[in-house]
Amino acid sequence: MEKEQKETSVGDDQLNGDTAVEVSHDAPTVEEKPKENTDVKTEQQTEMNGKNTEEEPSEELLGKIKTQIEYYFGNVNMQRDKFLIEQTKLDEGWIPMTVMLNFKLLAALSKNVEVILKALETSDLMEISEDRKKIRRSLKHPLPEYNEVYRKAQEARTVYVKGFPLNDTTIDKLKVFFEPYKPFETIVLRKYLDKDKVLKFKGSIFVQFETIDAAKAFMNVDSIKYGDTELIKKWTVDYNAEKAQEKEERRKKKADKMKKSTTEKETEDDEAERTPAATDNKLPKGSIIYFSGVQNTCTREDIKECLDKFDADIAYIDFQRGNTEGWVRLQGENAAKPLLEKTNEGKIVIQETEITCKVLEGKEEDKYLAKAMEDMVASKNKYIKAKRSGRKGRARGAKKRPNSPSHDAVPAKKKVVE
């Protein structure tokens, strides 16, 4: 029966009104309230009618109560809180205190109506009824019209911040951290669903400030650290534009791959068969990522799923299940460093375990690339030999058994899981 404010995660595009790609990627909301429990309501009414037997509330507690209620009736929450919106339509915006005490976070601060009302006596946003049994958002502060213009204004004063710990980061801790940068309206933890359908924090957030000037003041700070980690901050408008561009580039890349015809693939296979595998081919440098510390149940698919979140263009994953370390070879020269810059200082999470990655350089890289090239040449020669052997296995003109595979058909290239 309790009405609860939740931390949720919003998709990359949710702040600008688009459908969230990941399970939401972004803002604290409140759930719809079930029917009231009569026993609880009676208990609350008794408390309202009784005398205040508690000690004088502290200024800190009064401030927290005021902040919580102003959040409930603020522009951000009233934009989407269906329950509270419907309640405000019943009695000219007035909400009984018996209803307010069903809000879990408010009740956790205090169930004493007089304490709650005392906290609101200094609020410019809220009004208290003459009989002190109801509250409402002041008529001096009408709700804005939630249209495209307002949405654009919200986006303009919202910033993207990255670099927070993947574990143990909460709304309450972030509120304390952003206290020097007030006033802000809401903080949104960005989350995603892992393979077990569990929401996990991505290490980045959106902060929506009350004014564009407050947002600019935050963005103009040269260096902001969370612990020892330097935070990355961007305007949400710029961040959304970057994500849209990346999405379009991935779409084009996928379309280009689809354009390859069957004839082109067969030509490549024929050329490979006629020409022995060259030993002087070279793999791109700066493209190898080494990782260690994975669980012995980890698979190539787990590694690929994790790196796909960073838009990795993988050429090959050198890893066997049961090992604790492995290598990932990316497409293109110097592709490894930009990819790791997208992570949390080279750290990624695979099977709920934080894994440290690094770019292979110098002698380590040369040694690995030489071994990889040898393995590729050996594998290619083995494939060509097996293919030629298969063609010679059937006498010319001999009839093929019904439904048997054709040895003359060029086998499709095997796609490596990456």
Side-chain angles (χ1 to χ4, degrees):
M1 68 161 285
E2 295 173 322
K3 187 150 179 27
E4 178 179 4
Q5 177 188 4
K6 301 190 299 177
E7 293 175 4
T8 66
S9 110
V10 181
D12 292 344
D13 304 318
Q14 188 163 335
L15 281 183
N16 47 7
D18 298 333
T19 302
V21 176
E22 297 168 348
V23 173
S24 252
H25 72 346
D26 310 89
T29 62
V30 286
E31 297 176 342
E32 300 230 5
K33 173 182 167 295
K35 293 182 179 178
E36 294 184 11
N37 183 296
T38 305
D39 295 336
V40 175
K41 182 174 180 179
T42 302
E43 178 184 343
Q44 293 165 351
Q45 189 65 48
T46 301
E47 183 177 6
M48 287 178 60
N49 295 332
K51 293 182 179 180
N52 181 6
T53 59
E54 295 184 2
E55 296 182 2
E56 188 70 16
S58 66
E59 290 299 320
E60 181 183 3
L61 175 60
L62 294 176
K64 288 182 177 180
I65 293 172
K66 175 183 173 182
T67 298
Q68 188 62 46
I69 293 180
E70 287 184 342
Y71 173 80
Y72 288 145
F73 288 87
N75 293 346
V76 174
N77 193 58
M78 289 299 293
Q79 186 174 356
R80 56 179 168 267
D81 188 340
K82 295 180 180 179
F83 168 75
L84 202 51
I85 290 171
E86 291 302 316
Q87 288 293 308
T88 58
K89 296 177 181 178
L90 302 178
D91 184 16
E92 298 181 337
W94 293 108
I95 307 295
M97 292 306 297
T98 52
V99 173
M100 292 307 304
L101 287 175
N102 287 314
F103 285 67
K104 185 176 180 180
L105 293 184
L106 176 60
L109 294 172
S110 177
K111 294 183 179 180
N112 188 305
V113 172
E114 285 304 317
V115 170
I116 295 172
L117 294 178
K118 182 175 182 177
L120 296 181
E121 288 174 354
T122 59
S123 174
D124 184 55
L125 181 67
M126 302 302 300
E127 291 181 1
I128 303 171
S129 65
E130 291 184 4
D131 60 6
R132 297 181 70 82
K133 292 183 179 181
K134 296 178 286 188
I135 61 173
R136 72 177 178 185
R137 178 174 169 136
S138 172
L139 300 181
K140 296 184 298 183
H141 299 284
L143 288 171
E145 184 180 354
Y146 296 116
N147 52 23
E148 183 65 14
V149 174
Y150 183 79
R151 188 193 68 77
K152 288 287 186 183
Q154 280 185 306
E155 184 183 52
R157 61 179 186 270
T158 303
V159 299
Y160 163 87
V161 190
K162 176 183 177 181
F164 300 96
L166 299 178
N167 300 314
D168 198 34
T169 297
T170 65
I171 285 290
D172 288 337
K173 289 183 179 180
L174 291 173
K175 284 181 179 178
V176 173
F177 177 76
F178 280 93
E179 186 73 21
Y181 309 107
K182 279 188 171 182
F184 55 85
E185 290 183 315
T186 188
I187 297 174
V188 176
L189 281 79
R190 299 183 64 241
K191 298 184 180 181
Y192 68 96
L193 280 177
D194 66 8
K195 63 179 182 180
D196 297 320
K197 306 301 181 183
V198 177
L199 276 174
K200 295 294 182 65
F201 179 47
K202 301 180 74 171
S204 57
I205 65 173
F206 289 111
V207 183
Q208 183 174 305
F209 291 88
E210 287 188 9
T211 65
I212 188 68
D213 289 338
K216 286 180 180 178
F218 174 77
M219 291 297 290
N220 287 337
V221 178
D222 290 335
S223 174
I224 299 179
K225 290 187 176 182
Y226 191 88
D228 296 328
T229 303
E230 182 78 23
L231 296 177
I232 298 171
K233 53 188 187 336
K234 300 178 183 178
W235 286 106
T236 296
V237 173
D238 296 334
Y239 171 80
N240 287 335
E242 290 175 10
K243 299 303 289 185
Q245 183 177 355
E246 290 174 7
K247 185 177 181 180
E248 178 63 17
E249 288 174 354
R250 289 196 300 270
R251 187 195 66 76
K252 288 182 178 179
K253 188 174 182 180
K254 185 176 180 179
D256 290 341
K257 287 181 179 180
M258 295 296 291
K259 288 179 180 178
K260 280 193 173 183
S261 65
T262 303
T263 303
E264 290 173 332
K265 291 182 180 180
E266 290 177 350
T267 301
E268 290 173 1
D269 285 343
D270 287 341
E271 289 178 353
E273 182 179 353
R274 290 193 298 269
T275 306
T279 57
D280 59 346
N281 289 341
K282 291 185 179 181
L283 295 172
K285 301 199 73 172
S287 64
I288 308 299
I289 294 176
Y290 168 79
F291 62 89
S292 62
V294 297
Q295 299 182 28
N296 56 15
T297 57
C298 180
T299 65
R300 285 191 180 97
E301 287 76 13
D302 293 329
I303 299 166
K304 183 178 185 300
E305 181 181 358
C306 175
L307 294 180
D308 279 346
K309 296 169 188 166
F310 303 101
D311 303 324
D313 192 359
I314 300 173
Y316 185 71
I317 297 177
D318 186 358
F319 176 78
Q320 294 293 330
R321 183 169 184 171
N323 293 345
T324 59
E325 63 175 3
W327 298 261
V328 177
R329 178 161 52 83
L330 303 174
Q331 298 277 6
E333 291 276 341
N334 301 316
K337 187 175 180 181
L339 176 64
L340 290 190
E341 287 176 350
K342 297 180 181 179
T343 67
N344 186 16
E345 297 184 331
K347 293 175 180 155
I348 59 176
V349 177
I350 301 176
Q351 289 189 326
E352 299 184 359
T353 301
E354 192 172 79
I355 306 302
T356 301
C357 305
K358 71 172 185 178
V359 180
L360 282 191
E361 297 177 321
K363 292 182 179 179
E364 280 186 323
E365 181 186 31
D366 293 340
K367 183 178 178 181
Y368 179 83
L369 290 177
K371 178 66 167 58
M373 197 66 225
E374 289 177 7
D375 292 342
M376 289 175 65
V377 170
S379 177
K380 194 170 185 179
N381 285 334
K382 183 178 180 181
Y383 164 73
I384 293 173
K385 182 177 180 181
K387 186 176 178 183
R388 286 176 174 168
S389 176
R391 285 189 175 181
K392 293 176 182 178
R394 182 165 55 90
R396 181 175 296 180
K399 286 189 177 181
K400 188 175 61 167
R401 287 180 299 173
N403 299 324
S404 65
S406 171
H407 292 291
D408 293 327
V410 178
K413 282 189 175 179
K414 194 172 185 180
K415 185 176 180 181
V416 179
V417 176
E418 324 200 316

